Amino acid sequence: WCRELIPVQTNIVLFRLTPEYQVQEFLNALSSGGLLAIDMGHDLIRLVTHLDVDEQGITQALEILRRIP
């Protein structure tokens, strides 16, 4: 689902979806798993962590992302 990971130096993760994914459907799939993200336009998705998100929270977010076919 990710065709390009955009490098950043912050707590933000930016990536572009591959063409076969519809942005809203992808965001809905994340949301149904408990992970919120936003559409930055076109096929660009933004995820943001917070200083209170621990390693377990990051692992949970990755598991949600891995469940998307």
Side-chain angles (χ1 to χ4, degrees):
W1 42 259
C2 180
R3 71 174 172 92
E4 177 187 10
L5 182 62
I6 299 166
V8 295
Q9 302 275 331
T10 67
N11 60 336
I12 298 172
V13 177
L14 296 172
F15 60 92
R16 294 191 184 283
L17 291 177
T18 55
E20 65 268 18
Y21 286 92
Q22 297 296 319
V23 171
Q24 194 56 54
E25 289 177 15
F26 186 83
L27 294 176
N28 290 344
L30 293 181
S31 179
S32 70
L35 184 61
L36 300 179
I38 62 170
D39 171 14
M40 297 292 291
H42 304 287
D43 58 359
L44 187 62
I45 303 295
R46 179 179 178 218
L47 298 167
V48 179
T49 62
H50 184 271
L51 64 93
D52 291 332
V53 176
D54 59 12
E55 186 174 343
Q56 181 181 355
I58 298 298
T59 299
Q60 183 179 2
L62 289 171
E63 288 172 5
I64 293 166
L65 284 163
R66 287 184 184 123
R67 280 186 242 148
I68 297 176

